[in-house]
Amino acid sequence: MDIPCSLSARFEGSFAYFTVKDRLPQILTKVIDTVHRYKHKFLEEYGEEGIDGEKRALAYFSKLRNEMQTDKPIIPIIDDLPDTHIWNEYLQYQKSLLGDGEQPSWFRSPWLYVECYLYRRIHEGMTLSPPISTYDVFMEAKNDGYLQSENAVIALCTHLQEFKTNIADTSEAGCKEAFSKLLQVSLWGNKCDLSISGGQDNSQKFSILNSLESFKSNILVDNTESVWQILSQKKNSSRRVDIVLDNAGFELITDFVLADILLSLKLATEVHFHAKCIPWYVSDTTKRDIDWTIKQLLSTNNRWMSKCGEIWKENLKKGRWVYHEHLFWTLPHEFCSMAQTAPDLYSELQKSDLVLFKGDLNYRKLTGDRKWDFTVPFTQALTTFHPAPLCSVRTLKSDVQVGLKPGAGEQLAVSETDWMISGKYGIIQFDASV
Ligand SMILES: O=P(O)(O)OC[C@@]1(O)O[C@H](CO)[C@@H](O)[C@@H]1O
Ligand SMILES: [Mn+2]
């Protein structure tokens, strides 16, 4: 099978080129501004040493920004963390793909690699700047994103809990419709992504439930039926669903609501969440974000939000919900290499009855971030990655898409040149082949 080349900023005019040239420097500048603004907090918490750490971090990030903007060669990671050697082996692999004398660089190497590398370098910059090393430079933006979405969170928690009070009297068709609606809510929750917005406020201001009908035609691939079948065919037997999380804030709430309804409708008996080990792509979820979000819910005076907080905290405590993290999710690797690079994670996913992959970056890694034709079947683009039945739930924010009907992509491009990156369109794309 011919595997197409990787998306890359070497293709001038591509979204990758615009990202490396303009968007990533903007995100890095926001990191620099944040570290600047927190100077007084570092002084309060750590005294003069905190100021020294802040200065070290600022110097590191300014140098990093210059490396990126002047297309310097990619350099090894030196912070001696558990994944450092994997990153440096990957750099050697990228070098092996190039001709003599050529070096991996920001504008010449695969977009997936250099963008993931940027976030790993941001983590290195903080790691090498004690005592502020554990500060999450994206925390403020993630927390604000949640707080700005609170009305939408109230509407969603209210909808969930009110539905659950009548679940015993709800028909099979009613349950199926409720599940389908909350799967769509989880899809559109993926629009709330601070990487695509360059860190600008991208919160959910209104109740998403009222917009589902009007958004329906924007779902380019809708395999909800296959997802329902695989979950409802053996109801009441033990059933594990994994959710590979994406963004904190409103999207995380939509994923918790989906996980709640999976248990309440007996479509699953356990839900496993996979979050990031380090701050990633501005708004991706870490354990801190999960703990902070549950705490926020518990501390509100809104009855349905606090009810959700109690139930979800109990689910995590009782093991109905299980939290995982693995450093593979914050490596640059395409998922087709997971079985070799992280065999323990691959076999963990093989225990699942269904793995939901949230968001655009996960889709890029599922398909290798390659220039596939739009009509290539999803299963083909997954190549060797088939740990379990899986489903991508993703709004389109990068120019990779497969599994479309002939002409569908071309037709959209006529009227909307930005259809692949605007976040307006989404997919619920399923693959059963294991
Ligand atoms: O994975 P997510 O949060 O849905 O999207 C991540 C993202 O914002 O970052 C990259 C562009 O910088 C793209 O993959 C996508 O636009
Ligand atoms: Mn993300």
Side-chain angles (χ1 to χ4, degrees):
M1 165 181 37
D2 288 340
I3 304 278
C5 67
S6 306
L7 298 181
S8 166
R10 67 194 171 96
F11 301 110
E12 283 204 26
S14 66
F15 186 58
Y17 179 76
F18 168 59
T19 297
V20 178
K21 179 173 156 302
D22 296 336
R23 297 183 52 248
L24 296 186
Q26 179 196 11
I27 288 168
L28 189 49
T29 300
K30 276 186 97 59
V31 167
I32 292 169
D33 291 349
T34 300
V35 171
H36 244 303
R37 271 189 299 105
Y38 267 67
K39 186 174 187 171
H40 67 285
K41 289 251 167 112
F42 298 139
L43 180 61
E44 251 170 59
E45 193 156 348
Y46 304 106
E48 278 308 313
E49 276 193 21
I51 299 300
D52 295 342
E54 190 243 9
K55 282 196 183 117
R56 230 189 328 274
L58 291 177
Y60 181 98
F61 292 138
S62 301
K63 174 179 175 293
L64 175 59
R65 186 172 51 183
N66 176 267
E67 286 175 42
M68 180 161 61
Q69 289 185 304
T70 57
D71 194 24
K72 288 288 185 307
I74 301 292
I75 56 174
I77 301 282
I78 58 166
D79 56 13
D80 202 20
L81 293 182
D83 63 349
T84 303
H85 70 287
I86 303 174
W87 277 94
N88 294 335
E89 281 157 22
Y90 197 80
L91 173 54
Q92 290 311 315
Y93 163 66
Q94 287 295 328
K95 273 183 182 158
S96 73
L97 302 177
L98 299 174
D100 291 345
E102 279 190 300
Q103 290 280 355
S105 77
W106 295 87
F107 281 84
R108 279 197 300 275
S109 293
W111 176 30
L112 181 62
Y113 173 42
V114 299
E115 189 168 32
C116 291
Y117 174 77
L118 169 69
Y119 288 98
R120 182 60 181 80
R121 285 290 302 277
I122 289 172
H123 187 60
E124 179 179 60
M126 294 307 287
T127 305
L128 298 178
S129 304
I132 65 170
S133 304
T134 57
Y135 175 65
D136 176 350
V137 292
F138 303 125
M139 176 178 67
E140 189 184 47
K142 290 184 280 189
N143 293 358
D144 288 351
Y146 170 86
L147 295 170
Q148 307 285 334
S149 305
E150 210 149 44
N151 290 335
V153 173
I154 292 171
L156 192 50
C157 291
T158 304
H159 171 83
L160 172 70
Q161 295 306 335
E162 287 179 348
F163 173 77
K164 285 168 69 175
T165 49
N166 306 313
I167 214 164
D169 309 328
T170 306
S171 66
E172 177 80 353
C175 289
K176 185 175 178 181
E177 198 216 345
F179 167 74
S180 173
K181 269 187 171 176
L182 291 175
L183 182 59
Q184 289 168 47
V185 166
S186 173
L187 165 65
W188 301 124
N190 180 240
K191 286 179 177 220
C192 301
D193 149 30
L194 290 164
S195 163
I196 193 70
S197 67
Q200 300 297 330
D201 171 31
N202 199 8
S203 53
Q204 182 62 34
K205 297 286 192 296
F206 54 86
S207 167
I208 210 164
L209 289 150
N210 306 334
S211 316
L212 293 183
E213 212 33 57
S214 63
F215 285 178
K216 204 83 183 323
S217 59
N218 295 343
I219 303 178
L220 302 180
V221 177
D222 187 353
N223 298 148
T224 302
E225 186 58 34
S226 305
V227 174
W228 174 261
Q229 287 308 323
I230 205 159
L231 292 178
S232 59
Q233 63 197 11
K234 288 186 297 177
K235 255 192 182 177
N236 302 325
S237 60
S238 78
R239 187 86 39 77
R240 167 176 165 167
V241 173
D242 285 63
I243 303 179
V244 181
L245 295 172
D246 188 359
N247 301 306
F250 182 70
E251 181 172 3
L252 180 59
I253 295 289
T254 69
D255 297 335
F256 281 160
V257 166
L258 181 63
D260 188 314
I261 205 75
L262 283 170
L263 296 189
S264 306
L265 291 175
K266 299 188 175 14
L267 295 169
T269 49
E270 52 186 281
V271 180
H272 292 242
F273 294 103
H274 301 266
K276 301 300 193 298
C277 296
I278 63 172
W280 192 250
Y281 277 69
V282 187
S283 44
D284 279 30
T285 302
T286 62
K287 181 75 170 56
R288 185 213 70 89
D289 297 315
I290 289 178
D291 296 341
W292 182 86
T293 302
I294 301 261
K295 212 162 132 229
Q296 284 297 120
L297 291 168
L298 289 168
S299 63
T300 54
N301 53 19
N302 175 281
R303 65 179 288 214
W304 290 130
M305 279 172 85
S306 49
K307 180 81 178 155
C308 282
E310 286 155 26
I311 294 170
W312 298 347
K313 187 176 177 184
E314 191 68 3
N315 283 345
L316 285 164
K317 194 169 155 218
K318 288 282 181 5
R320 290 189 287 267
W321 286 5
V322 181
Y323 170 81
H324 299 259
E325 58 182 51
H326 194 291
L327 55 77
F328 181 82
W329 302 117
T330 48
L331 291 176
H333 298 65
E334 302 168 36
F335 286 167
C336 60
S337 68
M338 184 191 286
Q340 297 76 28
T341 310
D344 55 332
L345 178 59
Y346 195 82
S347 46
E348 185 62 37
L349 294 183
Q350 285 179 306
K351 298 173 192 166
S352 189
D353 292 287
L354 173 70
V355 186
L356 298 175
F357 286 91
K358 288 300 309 295
D360 190 78
L361 176 60
N362 277 323
Y363 193 77
R364 291 173 57 195
K365 291 186 167 184
L366 283 166
T367 59
D369 213 34
R370 296 176 176 280
K371 292 162 81 87
W372 299 98
D373 288 343
F374 297 139
T375 55
V376 163
F378 185 37
T379 198
Q380 183 180 328
L382 291 168
T383 65
T384 57
F385 185 70
H386 298 284
L390 61 88
C391 186
S392 167
V393 182
R394 166 247 186 170
T395 55
L396 278 70
K397 294 174 278 186
S398 64
D399 37 5
V400 53
Q401 181 58 55
V402 293
L404 299 186
K405 291 191 177 65
E410 294 74 7
Q411 193 181 343
L412 280 162
V414 168
S415 50
E416 296 174 80
T417 50
D418 67 346
W419 70 279
M420 297 191 89
I421 57 172
S422 62
K424 173 180 172 185
Y425 293 98
I427 56 169
I428 296 171
Q429 197 163 41
F430 175 77
D431 177 72
S433 52
V434 288

